[in-house]
Amino acid sequence: MKKGWIAVDLDGTLAQYDGWVNSSTIGEPVPAMLARVKAWLADGEDVRIFTARVGPQKDVNEAVRAREAIGKWCVEHVGQELPVTATKDFAMKALWDDRCVQVVPNTGIALEDISRAASAVVLSLQNQDPPAEISRLMDEFTSLL
């Protein structure tokens, strides 16, 4: 097993999610994410389901039902039961989630903002926009760094 673990959100990331039904109802697998998880497992990665379904805000009985349902879903679709948690720790090396926004460490700057600004510069260069427009976009980009 490799060092650290990869957290994968269940609803909307590994499994289709169209709204809450109950703790035992889990959507069909998202094919691309399921393939990624299986590849990680084949490569010796520690992959865990990271979900609020078992978080401390849940009724204990509901969390137990959720864990059982997730375990069965994993066996059926992943081929093995995966650990389930709602808690991060220092060994977590990545979080795959439909709601998270990655930030540059210690800056508060969202990577999506940097990506958007860089894309605007590249498109402007490709379009051979006027130098003043390229300069303005470059200023916006560098202000994020």
Side-chain angles (χ1 to χ4, degrees), residues 56-135:
Q57 78 286 0
K58 293 292 184 182
D59 170 76
V60 171
N61 293 323
E62 187 176 345
V64 167
R65 285 191 297 275
R67 283 183 188 280
E68 290 172 355
I70 294 166
K72 289 178 185 175
W73 188 95
C74 285
V75 167
E76 179 181 350
H77 298 290
V78 178
Q80 68 185 67
E81 194 165 335
L82 298 176
V84 179
T85 186
T87 306
K88 295 183 350 178
D89 63 33
F90 290 110
M92 186 182 80
K93 60 184 178 181
L95 169 58
W96 290 71
D97 191 307
D98 59 316
R99 296 184 186 193
C100 69
V101 175
Q102 187 173 0
V103 298
V104 177
N106 304 316
T107 68
I109 299 170
L111 287 182
E112 66 186 39
D113 292 340
I114 293 172
S115 177
R116 189 178 308 113
S119 294
V121 170
V122 169
L123 289 173
S124 185
L125 289 167
Q126 287 176 338
N127 293 336
Q128 297 180 345
D129 288 343
E133 177 63 7
I134 294 170
S135 180

Side-chain angles (χ1 to χ4, degrees), residues 9 17 24 34 48 102 107 124 128 137 139 145:
D9 175 49
Y17 182 74
S24 300
L34 181 61
R48 302 177 191 180
Q102 187 173 0
T107 68
S124 185
Q128 297 180 345
L137 291 170
D139 287 346
L145 303 178

Side-chain angles (χ1 to χ4, degrees), residues 7-17 28-34 50 73 95-99:
V8 178
D9 175 49
L10 182 65
D11 298 308
T13 302
L14 184 56
Q16 296 286 332
Y17 182 74
E28 290 300 310
V30 173
M33 198 66 215
L34 181 61
F50 190 77
W73 188 95
L95 169 58
W96 290 71
D97 191 307
D98 59 316
R99 296 184 186 193

